[in-house]
Amino acid sequence: MSNPYHNNPLHGLKLEVLLDEIVAHYGWKTLAFAMNMNCFRNKPDLDSCLKFLHKTKWAREKVEAFYLYRFKHLPRPDDRQYALPPRERIIPSEQKPRAPVVIDMSAPAQPQNKPKSKRSAKAKVSAQGNTPYKSRDVNPRVDDDKPFDPWAASR
C-alpha cells in the first residue's frame, strides 16, 4: 500500500530543516512581516524559534502552512483538507512545488480577519448614540420616586 502523504513536502521534514530553508530564503525581517509572530521579530535565532514552535501547536501549523503555500507555492487546498493540520494534508500527485512567492515588505499590511469582541461592538454602537445599552449614570430602576443608590442593599 502506498503512502498517501508521499507528495506532501512536509512528509519526513524536520521543523529545524524547514525553518532553515525559509530563513535562508526570506530572512528574519521578511518572516516577521509575513507571519506577524514575535519569535521572528524580537531577537530571532534558530534555537529560540524552534523552542517556541515545538511548544505551540498553532504557531507550528502557521509556519508549516507558510512553507507549503508561500515557500513551496502549492495551490490552496479544498475545505476538507484545509481543516486538517498541514502535515496531515494529502497533496494530489499532479501538484508540484513551484518557485517561492515574492513577499513585498513595502506593501501595506493586510488586515487580519479576527472576530471583534462583544465589548468593542457595544462601545462602538454606544459612541454612535443609538444603543439599547444604558450607561452607568442612568438610573436603571423603574422606581422614579426614589433616587438610585448603587451602594444600597438590593431589594
Side-chain angles (χ1 to χ4, degrees):
M1 184 171 149
S2 67
N3 186 354
Y5 304 106
H6 75 281
N7 199 38
N8 189 334
L10 295 171
H11 179 67
L13 183 67
K14 289 186 176 183
L15 192 58
E16 182 177 5
V17 175
L18 179 149
L19 198 56
D20 278 337
E21 286 183 32
I22 62 175
V23 168
H25 182 75
Y26 289 112
W28 294 109
K29 287 185 179 182
T30 307
L31 288 176
F33 175 78
M35 286 192 259
N36 195 19
M37 292 171 54
N38 282 338
C39 70
F40 298 127
R41 187 177 295 121
N42 300 333
K43 298 180 185 177
D45 75 353
L46 192 63
D47 292 334
S48 65
C49 284
L50 282 172
K51 184 177 179 180
F52 174 70
L53 293 174
H54 279 296
K55 286 183 176 182
T56 44
K57 183 180 176 182
W58 67 265
R60 183 174 54 250
E61 289 179 358
K62 187 173 183 177
V63 170
E64 289 172 349
F66 178 88
Y67 181 82
L68 286 177
Y69 305 113
R70 308 269 313 269
F71 184 68
K72 291 295 184 179
H73 202 183
L74 292 171
R76 294 284 177 181
D78 60 357
D79 291 339
R80 197 178 87 235
Q81 288 292 319
Y82 192 75
L84 297 172
R87 286 199 183 261
E88 296 176 15
R89 294 180 188 163
I90 297 174
I91 310 292
S93 60
E94 64 271 3
Q95 292 182 3
K96 300 294 179 195
R98 298 176 285 179
V101 173
V102 176
I103 297 174
D104 183 17
M105 289 182 36
S106 64
Q110 296 294 325
Q112 302 219 351
N113 295 333
K114 294 182 180 177
K116 294 183 180 179
S117 68
K118 292 180 182 179
R119 169 168 250 146
S120 64
K122 287 180 185 179
K124 186 175 183 180
V125 171
S126 64
Q128 295 171 353
N130 55 358
T131 178
Y133 306 107
K134 297 185 186 266
S135 62
R136 293 181 186 252
D137 58 344
V138 175
N139 184 355
R141 296 190 185 196
V142 181
D143 301 336
D144 289 333
D145 57 336
K146 297 180 183 176
F148 175 65
D149 185 7
W151 304 107
S154 62
R155 297 179 199 185

